Amino acid sequence: MRIAATTTAALLPLLTLTACGSGDPSSTTPAGAQASPAPTDDPIAAVRKVDSVAALLPADVRQAGTLRIGSSIGFPPGAYYPNGQDKPPAGQDIDIADAVAKVLGVKLERQDASFETILPALGSGKYDVGTGNFGVTTERLKTVDFVTYINDGQGFAVKKGTTALTTEVTDLTQLCGLTIGTGAGTTFEATLTAKKDVCAKAGKKPYDVKVYSENGATLTALQQGRIDVVMSTINGLRYQAAQPAAQTAFLGEYHRLDVGFAFKKDSPLTKAFQAAVNELIKNGAYARILTKWGTTASAIDTSQINPPEHA
């Protein structure tokens, strides 16, 4: 369901979120709030090329000087459009990717893409690398390589003032009998689907899952009472709940996941990206980026290639 066009724009950057993957940034959103402006500081301005790291790139990439990156842009603080889709995107993922490119001495050809299309497109060669708050899971590691840069994960939020669910979600049986909204093709959908029998085992009414291809539609459904709870990224839901106009309450962390740049399997780019992230950690630019976006709780000590999914 779409609401009137005059009411859809105001909350777009504030409330469009899903994932260990985001979705369509042009989605419908509830009315009544102002867009969140991007922070103005520029922690990547001083980042410079590091020759020893750039040397890890394949020769053809160094010669071309460009990499094609498929970016899923939909929600703060990860990646969003603070000034409209005709202006450059902003966010933690944008800054980290741009800083990595500077260390490697290459330019990024960024293409906005929907979350669920990016991983398959890596295998076809459409993109060299993908970003979209992609959580590292056992299933994804079968077909995709990851280079980690933050630790985020899965959480829940409700409409402020609801009585349907008021405590931190630590067990999915707390959701029995409720309707949960989440994004298509995400780790959230996979988790909810895989564990849907927990309610029957507990002798309770099953929860219902509604999947939305447009992120704003999920939030509209929450505000209109068509779903009881949203499952999405920890950082995105926490950021959203901090905006008074959003009228949502964050119900805590459910499951942490490493988040990384995504590549086709056996990509020759992974070692260079890992070294670049570690260079940013070492020189302090990484910490400044996370401070800028309020995500220091998601900092990692060192980048890894294809770590196992968190238990």
Side-chain angles (χ1 to χ4, degrees):
M1 175 180 180
R2 288 186 179 273
I3 53 180
T6 55
T7 66
T8 61
L11 267 186
L12 185 63
L14 179 62
L15 291 181
T16 52
L17 65 156
T18 349
C20 291
S22 57
D24 180 3
S26 63
S27 54
T28 302
T29 54
Q34 297 300 312
S36 290
T40 57
D41 50 316
D42 186 3
I44 67 173
V47 176
R48 298 290 181 264
K49 179 182 178 182
V50 178
D51 290 338
S52 60
V53 177
L56 297 174
L57 288 170
D60 59 333
V61 175
R62 295 198 306 272
Q63 184 175 2
T66 59
L67 286 170
R68 297 161 299 167
I69 183 168
S71 294
S72 179
I73 299 170
F75 67 88
Y80 70 119
Y81 288 106
N83 302 305
Q85 293 183 59
D86 59 336
K87 300 292 191 303
Q92 166 197 268
D93 288 3
I94 303 299
D95 281 354
I96 291 177
D98 287 348
V100 163
K102 290 186 74 174
V103 171
L104 295 173
V106 297
K107 292 185 178 180
L108 297 179
E109 295 179 351
R110 180 172 281 111
Q111 298 182 41
D112 187 348
S114 61
F115 165 72
E116 64 272 17
T117 67
I118 293 176
L119 298 187
L122 294 171
S124 70
K126 183 176 182 179
Y127 309 123
D128 300 306
V129 57
T131 59
N133 208 58
F134 289 112
V136 180
T137 67
T138 301
E139 188 63 27
R140 285 176 177 167
L141 285 170
K142 295 176 182 177
T143 57
V144 178
D145 282 343
F146 287 99
V147 171
T148 62
Y149 61 88
I150 61 164
N151 180 267
D152 193 353
Q154 304 174 333
F156 294 92
V158 294
K159 183 177 180 180
K160 191 171 289 186
T162 186
T163 58
L165 187 63
T166 59
T167 60
E168 180 177 349
V169 177
T170 58
D171 189 302
L172 292 185
T173 57
Q174 294 171 249
L175 304 176
C176 297
L178 301 180
T179 301
I180 309 151
T182 196
T186 63
T187 63
F188 316 118
E189 180 186 11
T191 295
L192 292 169
T193 300
K195 298 185 177 182
K196 200 166 186 179
D197 63 347
V198 297
C199 294
K201 290 179 179 179
K204 298 182 178 182
K205 182 180 178 181
Y207 56 72
D208 184 33
V209 179
K210 292 189 179 297
V211 177
Y212 297 88
S213 59
E214 294 185 345
N215 297 315
T218 311
L219 274 300
T220 299
L222 182 69
Q223 299 291 7
Q224 294 180 351
R226 290 183 282 113
I227 58 176
D228 301 301
V229 58
V230 171
M231 189 178 188
S232 190
T233 67
I234 293 168
N235 285 339
L237 293 175
R238 182 179 282 123
Y239 182 97
Q240 177 194 66
Q243 315 303 313
Q247 291 297 300
T248 61
F250 178 57
L251 294 185
E253 302 178 6
Y254 173 69
H255 180 52
R256 279 274 174 177
L257 285 170
D258 288 311
V259 171
F261 294 105
F263 304 84
K264 69 179 181 180
K265 207 66 184 171
D266 301 317
S267 169
L269 298 174
T270 55
K271 290 184 178 179
F273 268 71
Q274 180 191 33
V277 173
N278 284 332
E279 174 64 26
L280 295 171
I281 293 172
K282 183 176 71 174
N283 68 25
Y286 175 80
R288 290 191 290 274
I289 291 171
L290 268 58
T291 298
K292 171 183 176 179
W293 294 103
T295 56
T296 55
S298 285
I300 58 174
D301 295 326
T302 186
S303 177
Q304 300 181 71
I305 297 173
N306 295 339
E309 180 177 354
H310 288 298

